[in-house]
Amino acid sequence: MGKIIATMNQIIKYFLIVILTVLIVAVFCQVLFRFVLNQPLAWTEELARYCLIWITFLGAAYAMSLKSHIGMSILVEKSPLLLRRLLTVIAAIVCIGFFWLMIQQGFHLSERSMNQLSPVLRIPMGAIYLVIPISGIVLTINLVAGVFEDLRRGEEA
């Protein structure tokens, strides 16, 4: 199971690299065409915005796999093993509750917005909003895997 999750995170990592590259090229073109050629491109601003949205949500999900989110680690590290486990499980339950809301409401938002097209690129807005439930699912998978790893590692310590 760990290999599948690691592969999923690698795919997300490379997808984030592609999205960031598209974002950089779009912004570069926007600056070049607006300030050098005095012929601004309407689509580059919209593309950059949607790339940034996808990077934000998928980046948060990928960061969960690296345990790069902020936390009160000093409180947990100074606690005895039993309390550390309890705090880890409670924090995971609260996060999973939030991620469930992201998944549920994100799918609902995406479904309702599929008929609405973006102004310039004519992309269904539901496709843009689909990153919310996707990242909620990936966040949940990475969180659960991380909690199991922490609890297993706690037994070895």
Side-chain angles (χ1 to χ4, degrees):
M1 188 60 127
K3 214 170 215 181
I4 294 170
I5 294 172
T7 302
M8 175 193 68
N9 286 320
Q10 279 297 106
I11 291 169
I12 291 171
K13 176 183 172 182
Y14 292 125
F15 188 62
L16 285 167
I17 291 169
V18 169
I19 296 173
L20 182 62
T21 304
V22 170
L23 173 67
I24 291 168
V25 169
V27 171
F28 178 76
C29 287
Q30 176 68 353
V31 170
L32 179 71
F33 276 79
R34 179 177 299 258
F35 295 112
V36 176
L37 303 175
N38 288 327
Q39 297 291 325
L41 300 172
W43 59 270
T44 54
E45 188 270 331
E46 193 171 286
L47 178 63
R49 181 182 322 126
Y50 298 150
C51 286
L52 190 59
I53 291 168
W54 274 75
I55 286 173
T56 301
F57 280 94
L58 284 181
Y62 181 69
M64 182 66 77
S65 72
L66 303 176
K67 298 181 182 181
S68 296
H69 286 277
I70 61 169
M72 298 284 293
S73 59
I74 187 126
L75 178 66
V76 175
E77 290 169 1
K78 299 293 181 187
S79 301
L81 181 61
L82 185 61
L83 182 59
R84 191 177 328 143
R85 287 182 178 170
L86 182 65
L87 290 172
T88 301
V89 170
I90 289 171
I93 290 170
V94 171
C95 288
I96 289 171
F98 177 72
F99 300 153
W100 172 250
L101 285 174
M102 278 179 66
I103 295 165
Q104 183 184 29
Q105 295 301 316
F107 273 127
H108 185 65
L109 174 66
S110 181
E111 184 180 61
R112 285 184 309 164
S113 304
M114 276 301 179
N115 292 331
Q116 178 186 358
L117 299 177
S118 66
V120 178
L121 294 175
R122 311 303 293 167
I123 300 171
M125 291 305 293
I128 305 301
Y129 298 144
L130 198 57
V131 72
I132 298 169
I134 290 171
S135 66
I137 291 167
V138 176
L139 279 161
T140 303
I141 291 169
N142 283 329
L143 176 67
V144 170
V147 167
F148 280 133
E149 180 183 317
D150 287 348
L151 293 177
R152 195 169 1 123
R153 192 170 4 120
E155 291 173 0
E156 297 169 359

